[in-house]
Amino acid sequence: MLRLLLPLAALAALLRAAFCVQNVPERSFGIDYESNTFVKDGKPFRYISGSIHYSRVPSYYWKDRLLKMKMAGLDAIQTYVPWNYHESRMGTYDFFGGKDLEYFLQLANDTGLLVILRAGPYICAEWDMGGLPAWLLEKKSIVLRSSDSDYLKAVERWMGVLLPKMRPYLYQNGGPIIMVQVENEYGSYFACDYDYLRFLLKLFRLHLGDEVVLFTTDGASQFHLKCGALQGLYATVDFAPGGNVTAAFLAQRSSEPKGPLVNSEFYTGWLDHWGHRHSVVPAETIAKTLNEILARGANVNLYMFIGGTNFAYWNGANMPYMPQPTSYDYDAPLSEAGDLTEKYFTLRKVIGMYKELPEGLIPPTTPKFAYGKVRLQKAGTVLEVLDGLSRSGPVRSTYPLTFVELKQYFGYVLYRTTLPKNCVEPTPLSSTLNGVHDRAYVSVNGVPQGILEREKSLKINITGQAGANLDILVENMGRVNFGRYNNDFKGLVSNLTLAEDILVGWEIYPLDIDGAVNYDIIYPLHNQETSAVKALSYEVPTFYTGTLLIPGGIPDLPQDTYVNFPGWTKGQIWINGFNLGRYWPARGPQLTLYVPRNVLVASVPNNITVLELECSPCSTQACDIEFVDEPNINATLLHETEKPPLFVREMWTKHL
């Protein structure tokens, strides 16, 4: 009898478990085409979402930014996955620390936010090369974003790593991801390769299954949707405030006669470029159009809800060549530093007209602290510390090699040759084929000669004796992220000529400046009165170092801050080995760089390294940088004659 009771007890337990499963609603997310709506857990659902890029926000602040987005009334967040952020070198994958995408998704889930994942492989995003890794260009003839076999192999390998990581986070599997975007704005690309889109569709289905909603995003016109939409991928559109909402959604209806209306990129601001004014879009304009979108029952994603920062070298560029600055503030509802703005509360009020806002306190703006001035000391020119920056020494080549050929994908490379003849009189050094990508700092035997710049300055005059070292430090200022020219090779991509002679016999030094900073190879010169030092001008690219002491006796320090560069021209800055990004106050509009508190420490001095590429103030005024408590990313530029249009890419269309 005992033997009989045990199986019966086990059977009863199984029946109870089965009963419980039947009474727990299955998690599901899909499209009801007949009702023109999304369906979540069997009920009609409309989402209001906002964009945040985990790659542009320190992981220390992910939770703070997500909670602020939740308290604004958002149902979901939208985020890009930059392939090159996780696989900067072929076959080496990095999902740790600030690149821990799974931790970010879990935080979103814990905050009660759904996720719309924009998985690429191409993302645009004003991000270097639109998120595509530069090593793809090792095959010079590769056709990116197409059925090129080498490109597809690389995409297949990458998605075989990324998408299996994402599958447990799909909504039906208990995670927050309700939708996954395939590619991005493909209708704006010249290739129009439907086989490529079909390949991606099959690949995504293989790794993610048949239940997840896969979608595309394109401009709100039949022209863009013609090559961007594909059967099996739900077509959505993007459009700006102030336009005709009805016409925009009619464009979507040309590809999707039924189903939910979706604006996947409703712009809350706009992108910036060095040398142009910071883009500002009035909150009232956005609120008016947002109200029109929501009144139609449409779904919307506010791009951006927080822009963040292009730390290190991650900014992109547009054509004709215009790189974007370090700040990606975007005039978004949350500022670059996550501050609450008037726009945040204006849009929150509109959202509150259509759904119940969450109860509770909105996390406050994080405090900022003005630590004041820090005196820097000269630590040597790039030429003086060259051995420490290029530990493996030079690569020798008859003609210049590109960054990719050197497997140096970011930063700086020094090209050196010797003058083949005496240049007693000023002699033209030319990049006749616009082959300097992107900016070159030229010196002869350590004496500065001038700057060559892509599409702006293709010829300078130099002087020097035959046999003198001609040194050309080339800066990669960010790869093109939009249009046909995102196969953007860097370095000296064509020959330089001196008068009529092609320069040959190059020694090329890939520079690991980030490694040198982290390993303390760059340090102040203790004897700055030597003749060797005095002979070299501060006008050549030079390192400066200093320390910031966090004051004691003040609670809750360190706090966020901004670093200002009075009298400095253009360069790069590191704090405690962390690459904050580029500064360029001489061109603007950004004058200050955001310094998140997690970069700073209170217990020991904070080490600061500055690479000034053109001209420091140190020979004429105080050799200081200053930490302030307010940003300035909207400096007025005297040389600018007109304000560039917002939301307009027509100036780039010939480069599509």
Side-chain angles (χ1 to χ4, degrees), residues 5 63 123 196 241 289 314 322 364 385 450 487 530 533 547 573 632:
L5 284 174
K63 186 175 181 179
I123 63 170
Y196 167 55
T289 307
W314 289 115
M322 298 181 292
V385 297
N487 58 335
T530 64
V533 173
T547 56
I573 180 171
N632 187 352

Side-chain angles (χ1 to χ4, degrees), residues 201-278:
L201 172 58
K202 183 178 178 181
L203 186 62
F204 276 55
R205 286 291 177 214
L206 172 68
H207 290 296
L208 299 179
D210 294 330
E211 293 181 35
V212 64
V213 174
L214 300 179
F215 73 103
T216 60
T217 299
D218 282 285
S221 74
Q222 293 187 37
F223 169 81
H224 293 103
L225 287 161
K226 177 184 176 182
C227 293
L230 184 76
Q231 186 174 359
L233 300 170
Y234 191 74
T236 73
V237 294
D238 51 43
F239 56 88
N244 187 325
V245 173
T246 300
F249 282 134
L250 280 174
Q252 185 191 358
R253 282 285 176 247
S254 69
S255 289
E256 298 289 355
K258 295 184 178 181
L261 298 174
V262 182
N263 183 347
S264 288
E265 286 190 12
F266 175 60
Y267 303 112
T268 64
W270 195 239
L271 57 106
D272 288 345
H273 297 104
W274 290 115
H276 297 273
R277 293 176 187 165
H278 172 55

